[in-house]
Amino acid sequence: KLPPKAALCALNQWVNSGSNYSHNTLAYISARMLPKPLFMVVFGYRVWPLLKRTWQEVMEDNILGLSAQTAYYFFFSLFPIFLFVAPLLSLIGDKEKVFGLLITQLGSAVPGEAFALVRGVVNDVVFAENAPGLISVGALLAAWAGSNVFSALIDAMNRAYDIEERRPWWKKKLVALTS
């Protein structure tokens, strides 16, 4: 097989500069100039064709778009989960202690501006007078938003394994809700 075009162009320029080499010598030199991973064999597979085929599959299956969709639904489901868990935790123990522990853990994982926004909203929800009444609304929203995450994962897996979804919409949503 011929090496990539860029290496051939560079070698042709070098050969045309006055050197007299045969085609075999040119192929040998081009194989020496190319990086070794292109010729590497791992478990019986050549690395370059394997990488090329993998990239083609990633682009055909729209893996980047599906991963963005899944991440969006995941982060979209965090607020309803807080809306459900925060009033629930306020019923269990000391509000300030539990809230402080959760907020410090969240602060180490979330960027500053997003942390300030989430902290303000969760603070308003936990310390509100009708906080226990929000549990039912938060549970419904958390279940719906969480099911969107699992629906996106179902779609991504179906696409990755080239399976056509044959279940009705409501069955797929029911499976996602129970997950």
Side-chain angles (χ1 to χ4, degrees):
K1 287 190 170 188
L2 290 178
K5 290 181 182 178
L8 276 180
C9 290
L11 284 171
N12 283 335
Q13 287 176 356
W14 179 68
V15 169
N16 290 333
S17 67
S19 303
N20 286 330
Y21 289 104
S22 68
H23 179 70
N24 291 338
T25 307
L26 180 63
Y28 174 77
I29 293 172
S30 65
R32 294 293 226 168
M33 289 180 66
L34 291 174
K36 294 297 180 199
L38 294 179
F39 297 109
M40 190 169 31
V41 176
V42 177
F43 297 117
Y45 294 101
R46 288 181 297 153
V47 173
W48 180 248
L50 180 65
L51 288 175
K52 189 176 173 183
R53 191 172 60 208
T54 302
W55 181 252
Q56 287 172 346
E57 279 291 319
V58 164
M59 297 313 287
E60 285 174 9
D61 290 342
N62 192 22
I63 297 299
L64 301 176
L66 291 172
S67 62
Q69 177 184 5
T70 305
Y72 172 79
Y73 282 130
F74 171 75
F75 286 112
F76 182 68
S77 70
L78 287 180
F79 180 72
I81 288 173
F82 281 136
L83 194 62
F84 171 66
V85 171
L88 185 66
L89 289 177
S90 68
L91 291 175
I92 294 173
D94 184 23
K95 290 181 187 181
E96 287 85 18
K97 194 179 229 183
V98 172
F99 180 70
L101 177 67
L102 289 175
I103 287 299
T104 55
Q105 293 296 320
L106 183 67
S108 65
V110 176
E113 293 176 8
F115 174 70
L117 178 67
V118 169
R119 182 179 184 182
V121 171
V122 173
N123 193 14
D124 292 342
V125 170
V126 170
F127 298 113
E129 292 178 20
N130 60 350
L134 290 175
I135 291 176
S136 59
V137 173
L140 291 174
L141 288 175
W144 186 261
S147 72
N148 287 336
V149 173
F150 284 102
S151 292
L153 286 173
I154 289 169
D155 291 341
M157 290 301 195
N158 285 344
R159 179 75 66 91
Y161 289 104
D162 296 326
I163 296 173
E164 184 179 333
E165 183 68 53
R166 294 186 178 175
R167 292 179 285 199
W169 176 84
W170 61 272
K171 276 189 182 178
K172 181 179 163 188
K173 197 58 152 172
L174 188 62
V175 167
L177 274 170
T178 58
S179 296

